[in-house]
């Protein structure tokens, strides 16, 4: 398997309390995740999802499980997940999300992602996988910031 890490930050136009709540609402999340076709909340901390991803020439549909761990509202939590993409391979990993107060009643969200991909996806090379992943992460948090400000 091939390991990758990503991190970034985004300022969200909402307080941390609203923030934490929104991050566990399936409808909110589904709308923010690029390519997400299904997202079900199995219980308070477990979700299952189907996400379609296009990585260069490869289109893959991942069935995945996501768990929220180390919940520490309103400071953050960790997300752990793994997905099976059939012939395309698999992905698994985690993200640490930290929330802190920013100016004007806003929230700074920092994320650190560590993931492993295996199978056919690895043949695409780390540069492509890194750039697509970064793009998807940026897209997710941009969507999320928008959803939170509208909500």
């Amino acid at each position: 398997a091939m390991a990758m890490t990503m991190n970034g930050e985004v300022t969200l136009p909402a307080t941390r309390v609203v923030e934490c709540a929104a991050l566990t609402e399936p409808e909110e999340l589904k709308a923010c995740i690029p390519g997400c076709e299904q997202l079900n909340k199995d219980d308070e901390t477990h979700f299952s999802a189907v996400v379609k991803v296009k990585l260069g020439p490869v289109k893959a549909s991942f069935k995945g499980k996501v768990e929220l761990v180390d919940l520490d509202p309103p400071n953050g939590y960790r997300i752990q997940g793994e997905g099976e993409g059939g012939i395309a391979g698999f992905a698994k990993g985690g993200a640490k999300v930290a929330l802190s107060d920013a100016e004007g009643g806003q929230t700074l969200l920092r994320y650190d992602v560590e993931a492993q991909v295996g199978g056919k996806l690895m043949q695409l090379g780390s540069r492509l996988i890194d750039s697509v992943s970064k793009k998807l992460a940026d897209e997710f948090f941009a969507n999320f910031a928008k959803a939170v400000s509208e909500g």
Side-chain angles (χ1 to χ4, degrees), residues 5-40:
T5 57
M6 282 187 295
N7 44 52
E9 55 183 46
V10 60
T11 302
L12 299 165
T15 62
R16 285 196 274 166
V17 181
V18 174
E19 203 41 67
C20 266
L23 276 164
T24 61
E25 282 307 311
E27 283 311 306
E28 295 257 341
L29 281 176
K30 179 175 185 267
C32 296
I33 300 167
C36 187
E37 302 200 325
Q38 255 180 299
L39 183 69
N40 300 315

mmCIF file of all heavy atoms in Angstrom, residues 5-40:
data_model
loop_
_atom_site.group_PDB
_atom_site.id
_atom_site.type_symbol
_atom_site.label_atom_id
_atom_site.label_comp_id
_atom_site.label_asym_id
_atom_site.label_seq_id
_atom_site.Cartn_x
_atom_site.Cartn_y
_atom_site.Cartn_z
ATOM 1 N N THR A 5 -0.183 11.805 3.118
ATOM 2 C CA THR A 5 -0.663 12.699 4.156
ATOM 3 C C THR A 5 -1.076 14.011 3.520
ATOM 4 O O THR A 5 -0.548 14.404 2.484
ATOM 5 C CB THR A 5 0.443 13.013 5.203
ATOM 6 O OG1 THR A 5 1.560 13.566 4.500
ATOM 7 C CG2 THR A 5 0.880 11.761 5.935
ATOM 8 N N MET A 6 -2.032 14.657 4.140
ATOM 9 C CA MET A 6 -2.511 15.947 3.665
ATOM 10 C C MET A 6 -2.881 16.760 4.870
ATOM 11 O O MET A 6 -3.364 16.218 5.857
ATOM 12 C CB MET A 6 -3.814 15.786 2.890
ATOM 13 C CG MET A 6 -3.692 15.277 1.491
ATOM 14 S SD MET A 6 -5.324 15.379 0.737
ATOM 15 C CE MET A 6 -6.263 14.234 1.704
ATOM 16 N N ASN A 7 -2.683 18.064 4.779
ATOM 17 C CA ASN A 7 -3.276 18.890 5.811
ATOM 18 C C ASN A 7 -3.632 20.244 5.244
ATOM 19 O O ASN A 7 -3.166 20.637 4.180
ATOM 20 C CB ASN A 7 -2.361 19.021 7.031
ATOM 21 C CG ASN A 7 -0.936 19.281 6.635
ATOM 22 O OD1 ASN A 7 -0.676 20.199 5.864
ATOM 23 N ND2 ASN A 7 -0.025 18.475 7.128
ATOM 24 N N GLY A 8 -4.501 20.916 5.952
ATOM 25 C CA GLY A 8 -4.929 22.218 5.484
ATOM 26 C C GLY A 8 -5.786 22.853 6.541
ATOM 27 O O GLY A 8 -6.039 22.275 7.595
ATOM 28 N N GLU A 9 -6.220 24.057 6.256
ATOM 29 C CA GLU A 9 -7.117 24.709 7.189
ATOM 30 C C GLU A 9 -8.098 25.566 6.426
ATOM 31 O O GLU A 9 -7.844 25.977 5.296
ATOM 32 C CB GLU A 9 -6.347 25.523 8.221
ATOM 33 C CG GLU A 9 -5.395 26.543 7.668
ATOM 34 C CD GLU A 9 -4.633 27.233 8.797
ATOM 35 O OE1 GLU A 9 -4.134 26.543 9.710
ATOM 36 O OE2 GLU A 9 -4.556 28.472 8.756
ATOM 37 N N VAL A 10 -9.232 25.816 7.057
ATOM 38 C CA VAL A 10 -10.259 26.626 6.426
ATOM 39 C C VAL A 10 -10.972 27.396 7.533
ATOM 40 O O VAL A 10 -11.136 26.891 8.640
ATOM 41 C CB VAL A 10 -11.238 25.741 5.606
ATOM 42 C CG1 VAL A 10 -11.931 24.722 6.464
ATOM 43 C CG2 VAL A 10 -12.256 26.583 4.873
ATOM 44 N N THR A 11 -11.328 28.644 7.239
ATOM 45 C CA THR A 11 -12.070 29.430 8.221
ATOM 46 C C THR A 11 -13.555 29.304 7.918
ATOM 47 O O THR A 11 -13.984 29.508 6.786
ATOM 48 C CB THR A 11 -11.644 30.919 8.160
ATOM 49 O OG1 THR A 11 -10.234 30.978 8.394
ATOM 50 C CG2 THR A 11 -12.351 31.722 9.237
ATOM 51 N N LEU A 12 -14.310 28.931 8.939
ATOM 52 C CA LEU A 12 -15.743 28.715 8.764
ATOM 53 C C LEU A 12 -16.523 29.824 9.457
ATOM 54 O O LEU A 12 -16.199 30.211 10.572
ATOM 55 C CB LEU A 12 -16.145 27.368 9.366
ATOM 56 C CG LEU A 12 -15.459 26.159 8.736
ATOM 57 C CD1 LEU A 12 -15.619 24.935 9.609
ATOM 58 C CD2 LEU A 12 -16.018 25.885 7.353
ATOM 59 N N PRO A 13 -17.569 30.317 8.770
ATOM 60 C CA PRO A 13 -18.324 31.449 9.291
ATOM 61 C C PRO A 13 -19.368 31.015 10.313
ATOM 62 O O PRO A 13 -20.545 31.265 10.149
ATOM 63 C CB PRO A 13 -18.993 32.014 8.038
ATOM 64 C CG PRO A 13 -19.142 30.827 7.150
ATOM 65 C CD PRO A 13 -18.009 29.906 7.446
ATOM 66 N N ALA A 14 -18.930 30.332 11.361
ATOM 67 C CA ALA A 14 -19.880 29.890 12.380
ATOM 68 C C ALA A 14 -19.109 29.604 13.652
ATOM 69 O O ALA A 14 -17.896 29.473 13.625
ATOM 70 C CB ALA A 14 -20.611 28.631 11.918
ATOM 71 N N THR A 15 -19.849 29.482 14.750
ATOM 72 C CA THR A 15 -19.188 29.172 16.009
ATOM 73 C C THR A 15 -18.898 27.672 16.078
ATOM 74 O O THR A 15 -19.488 26.877 15.354
ATOM 75 C CB THR A 15 -20.060 29.560 17.207
ATOM 76 O OG1 THR A 15 -21.262 28.793 17.144
ATOM 77 C CG2 THR A 15 -20.390 31.034 17.190
ATOM 78 N N ARG A 16 -18.011 27.301 16.993
ATOM 79 C CA ARG A 16 -17.572 25.912 17.077
ATOM 80 C C ARG A 16 -18.683 24.943 17.452
ATOM 81 O O ARG A 16 -18.644 23.776 17.105
ATOM 82 C CB ARG A 16 -16.449 25.792 18.105
ATOM 83 C CG ARG A 16 -15.151 26.322 17.582
ATOM 84 C CD ARG A 16 -14.028 25.839 18.427
ATOM 85 N NE ARG A 16 -13.794 26.693 19.585
ATOM 86 C CZ ARG A 16 -13.043 26.326 20.610
ATOM 87 N NH1 ARG A 16 -12.509 25.136 20.651
ATOM 88 N NH2 ARG A 16 -12.845 27.161 21.609
ATOM 89 N N VAL A 17 -19.672 25.404 18.204
ATOM 90 C CA VAL A 17 -20.732 24.507 18.645
ATOM 91 C C VAL A 17 -21.601 24.072 17.468
ATOM 92 O O VAL A 17 -21.866 22.894 17.250
ATOM 93 C CB VAL A 17 -21.594 25.166 19.749
ATOM 94 C CG1 VAL A 17 -22.676 24.201 20.207
ATOM 95 C CG2 VAL A 17 -20.704 25.558 20.924
ATOM 96 N N VAL A 18 -21.986 25.037 16.661
ATOM 97 C CA VAL A 18 -22.776 24.783 15.457
ATOM 98 C C VAL A 18 -22.011 23.819 14.543
ATOM 99 O O VAL A 18 -22.539 22.863 14.005
ATOM 100 C CB VAL A 18 -23.022 26.094 14.672
ATOM 101 C CG1 VAL A 18 -23.714 25.812 13.347
ATOM 102 C CG2 VAL A 18 -23.843 27.061 15.510
ATOM 103 N N GLU A 19 -20.733 24.168 14.433
ATOM 104 C CA GLU A 19 -19.775 23.448 13.652
ATOM 105 C C GLU A 19 -19.766 21.948 13.897
ATOM 106 O O GLU A 19 -19.907 21.146 13.009
ATOM 107 C CB GLU A 19 -18.427 24.002 14.121
ATOM 108 C CG GLU A 19 -17.361 23.848 13.181
ATOM 109 C CD GLU A 19 -17.891 24.147 11.865
ATOM 110 O OE1 GLU A 19 -18.256 25.273 11.564
ATOM 111 O OE2 GLU A 19 -17.962 23.197 11.134
ATOM 112 N N CYS A 20 -19.574 21.585 15.174
ATOM 113 C CA CYS A 20 -19.483 20.180 15.569
ATOM 114 C C CYS A 20 -20.775 19.452 15.243
ATOM 115 O O CYS A 20 -20.774 18.330 14.780
ATOM 116 C CB CYS A 20 -19.190 20.054 17.067
ATOM 117 S SG CYS A 20 -17.426 19.913 17.377
ATOM 118 N N ALA A 21 -21.894 20.120 15.489
ATOM 119 C CA ALA A 21 -23.185 19.502 15.227
ATOM 120 C C ALA A 21 -23.352 19.223 13.742
ATOM 121 O O ALA A 21 -23.754 18.136 13.337
ATOM 122 C CB ALA A 21 -24.303 20.404 15.728
ATOM 123 N N ALA A 22 -22.995 20.202 12.922
ATOM 124 C CA ALA A 22 -23.172 20.062 11.476
ATOM 125 C C ALA A 22 -22.316 18.933 10.917
ATOM 126 O O ALA A 22 -22.697 18.265 9.968
ATOM 127 C CB ALA A 22 -22.831 21.376 10.782
ATOM 128 N N LEU A 23 -21.163 18.723 11.522
ATOM 129 C CA LEU A 23 -20.244 17.711 11.006
ATOM 130 C C LEU A 23 -20.709 16.292 11.246
ATOM 131 O O LEU A 23 -20.101 15.350 10.769
ATOM 132 C CB LEU A 23 -18.846 17.915 11.603
ATOM 133 C CG LEU A 23 -17.995 18.955 10.877
ATOM 134 C CD1 LEU A 23 -16.825 19.385 11.735
ATOM 135 C CD2 LEU A 23 -17.483 18.423 9.558
ATOM 136 N N THR A 24 -21.780 16.123 12.013
ATOM 137 C CA THR A 24 -22.251 14.753 12.230
ATOM 138 C C THR A 24 -23.643 14.528 11.626
ATOM 139 O O THR A 24 -24.242 13.488 11.812
ATOM 140 C CB THR A 24 -22.288 14.403 13.734
ATOM 141 O OG1 THR A 24 -23.191 15.308 14.386
ATOM 142 C CG2 THR A 24 -20.919 14.519 14.357
ATOM 143 N N GLU A 25 -24.148 15.520 10.906
ATOM 144 C CA GLU A 25 -25.450 15.366 10.252
ATOM 145 C C GLU A 25 -25.283 14.753 8.864
ATOM 146 O O GLU A 25 -24.642 15.352 8.004
ATOM 147 C CB GLU A 25 -26.138 16.738 10.115
ATOM 148 C CG GLU A 25 -26.755 17.230 11.392
ATOM 149 C CD GLU A 25 -27.687 16.197 12.004
ATOM 150 O OE1 GLU A 25 -28.548 15.644 11.277
ATOM 151 O OE2 GLU A 25 -27.547 15.929 13.208
ATOM 152 N N PRO A 26 -25.861 13.566 8.654
ATOM 153 C CA PRO A 26 -25.656 12.862 7.381
ATOM 154 C C PRO A 26 -26.029 13.681 6.146
ATOM 155 O O PRO A 26 -25.299 13.676 5.168
ATOM 156 C CB PRO A 26 -26.550 11.631 7.488
ATOM 157 C CG PRO A 26 -27.000 11.537 8.872
ATOM 158 C CD PRO A 26 -26.694 12.801 9.585
ATOM 159 N N GLU A 27 -27.148 14.393 6.191
ATOM 160 C CA GLU A 27 -27.557 15.152 5.004
ATOM 161 C C GLU A 27 -26.570 16.270 4.693
ATOM 162 O O GLU A 27 -26.248 16.524 3.539
ATOM 163 C CB GLU A 27 -28.974 15.711 5.162
ATOM 164 C CG GLU A 27 -30.069 14.664 4.958
ATOM 165 C CD GLU A 27 -29.881 13.844 3.668
ATOM 166 O OE1 GLU A 27 -29.762 14.448 2.580
ATOM 167 O OE2 GLU A 27 -29.855 12.605 3.749
ATOM 168 N N GLU A 28 -26.111 16.947 5.741
ATOM 169 C CA GLU A 28 -25.125 18.011 5.560
ATOM 170 C C GLU A 28 -23.853 17.456 4.938
ATOM 171 O O GLU A 28 -23.302 17.997 3.990
ATOM 172 C CB GLU A 28 -24.732 18.629 6.917
ATOM 173 C CG GLU A 28 -25.840 19.357 7.627
ATOM 174 C CD GLU A 28 -25.702 20.870 7.503
ATOM 175 O OE1 GLU A 28 -24.602 21.349 7.188
ATOM 176 O OE2 GLU A 28 -26.707 21.560 7.712
ATOM 177 N N LEU A 29 -23.394 16.348 5.524
ATOM 178 C CA LEU A 29 -22.140 15.762 5.078
ATOM 179 C C LEU A 29 -22.219 15.245 3.661
ATOM 180 O O LEU A 29 -21.322 15.468 2.857
ATOM 181 C CB LEU A 29 -21.728 14.621 6.013
ATOM 182 C CG LEU A 29 -21.093 15.032 7.331
ATOM 183 C CD1 LEU A 29 -20.825 13.798 8.175
ATOM 184 C CD2 LEU A 29 -19.802 15.796 7.093
ATOM 185 N N LYS A 30 -23.309 14.545 3.361
ATOM 186 C CA LYS A 30 -23.472 13.959 2.032
ATOM 187 C C LYS A 30 -23.379 15.038 0.961
ATOM 188 O O LYS A 30 -22.718 14.866 -0.063
ATOM 189 C CB LYS A 30 -24.815 13.236 1.924
ATOM 190 C CG LYS A 30 -25.074 12.628 0.564
ATOM 191 C CD LYS A 30 -26.372 11.830 0.563
ATOM 192 C CE LYS A 30 -26.571 11.112 -0.751
ATOM 193 N NZ LYS A 30 -27.358 11.881 -1.713
ATOM 194 N N ALA A 31 -24.000 16.176 1.227
ATOM 195 C CA ALA A 31 -23.998 17.272 0.263
ATOM 196 C C ALA A 31 -22.604 17.860 0.070
ATOM 197 O O ALA A 31 -22.305 18.436 -0.966
ATOM 198 C CB ALA A 31 -24.971 18.359 0.710
ATOM 199 N N CYS A 32 -21.749 17.703 1.065
ATOM 200 C CA CYS A 32 -20.414 18.309 1.002
ATOM 201 C C CYS A 32 -19.367 17.400 0.372
ATOM 202 O O CYS A 32 -18.348 17.863 -0.126
ATOM 203 C CB CYS A 32 -19.941 18.671 2.405
ATOM 204 S SG CYS A 32 -20.947 19.927 3.197
ATOM 205 N N ILE A 33 -19.598 16.089 0.436
ATOM 206 C CA ILE A 33 -18.588 15.140 -0.031
ATOM 207 C C ILE A 33 -18.668 14.981 -1.538
ATOM 208 O O ILE A 33 -19.696 14.562 -2.074
ATOM 209 C CB ILE A 33 -18.765 13.758 0.639
ATOM 210 C CG1 ILE A 33 -18.622 13.884 2.152
ATOM 211 C CG2 ILE A 33 -17.743 12.756 0.096
ATOM 212 C CD1 ILE A 33 -19.076 12.648 2.917
ATOM 213 N N PRO A 34 -17.596 15.347 -2.260
ATOM 214 C CA PRO A 34 -17.616 15.224 -3.720
ATOM 215 C C PRO A 34 -17.853 13.771 -4.137
ATOM 216 O O PRO A 34 -17.181 12.874 -3.650
ATOM 217 C CB PRO A 34 -16.202 15.678 -4.128
ATOM 218 C CG PRO A 34 -15.685 16.464 -2.977
ATOM 219 C CD PRO A 34 -16.323 15.890 -1.760
ATOM 220 N N GLY A 35 -18.835 13.552 -4.996
ATOM 221 C CA GLY A 35 -19.092 12.213 -5.508
ATOM 222 C C GLY A 35 -19.852 11.294 -4.569
ATOM 223 O O GLY A 35 -20.031 10.111 -4.859
ATOM 224 N N CYS A 36 -20.331 11.837 -3.446
ATOM 225 C CA CYS A 36 -21.036 10.978 -2.486
ATOM 226 C C CYS A 36 -22.448 10.663 -2.981
ATOM 227 O O CYS A 36 -23.238 11.557 -3.244
ATOM 228 C CB CYS A 36 -21.107 11.644 -1.119
ATOM 229 S SG CYS A 36 -21.790 10.557 0.141
ATOM 230 N N GLU A 37 -22.749 9.380 -3.106
ATOM 231 C CA GLU A 37 -24.063 8.979 -3.601
ATOM 232 C C GLU A 37 -24.974 8.511 -2.479
ATOM 233 O O GLU A 37 -26.193 8.555 -2.594
ATOM 234 C CB GLU A 37 -23.900 7.854 -4.619
ATOM 235 C CG GLU A 37 -23.006 8.265 -5.775
ATOM 236 C CD GLU A 37 -23.211 7.390 -6.982
ATOM 237 O OE1 GLU A 37 -23.455 6.180 -6.823
ATOM 238 O OE2 GLU A 37 -23.125 7.919 -8.105
ATOM 239 N N GLN A 38 -24.388 8.047 -1.419
ATOM 240 C CA GLN A 38 -25.175 7.545 -0.296
ATOM 241 C C GLN A 38 -24.402 7.794 0.972
ATOM 242 O O GLN A 38 -23.182 7.612 1.016
ATOM 243 C CB GLN A 38 -25.329 6.033 -0.411
ATOM 244 C CG GLN A 38 -26.676 5.548 -0.865
ATOM 245 C CD GLN A 38 -26.635 4.023 -0.927
ATOM 246 O OE1 GLN A 38 -25.852 3.448 -1.671
ATOM 247 N NE2 GLN A 38 -27.447 3.370 -0.148
ATOM 248 N N LEU A 39 -25.090 8.228 2.010
ATOM 249 C CA LEU A 39 -24.454 8.337 3.311
ATOM 250 C C LEU A 39 -25.511 8.044 4.352
ATOM 251 O O LEU A 39 -26.513 8.739 4.445
ATOM 252 C CB LEU A 39 -23.864 9.730 3.529
ATOM 253 C CG LEU A 39 -23.111 9.912 4.860
ATOM 254 C CD1 LEU A 39 -21.821 9.115 4.866
ATOM 255 C CD2 LEU A 39 -22.802 11.374 5.126
ATOM 256 N N ASN A 40 -25.305 6.984 5.091
ATOM 257 C CA ASN A 40 -26.251 6.609 6.122
ATOM 258 C C ASN A 40 -25.596 6.657 7.487
ATOM 259 O O ASN A 40 -24.439 6.279 7.645
ATOM 260 C CB ASN A 40 -26.774 5.182 5.880
ATOM 261 C CG ASN A 40 -27.462 5.078 4.531
ATOM 262 O OD1 ASN A 40 -28.260 5.931 4.163
ATOM 263 N ND2 ASN A 40 -27.122 4.049 3.777
#
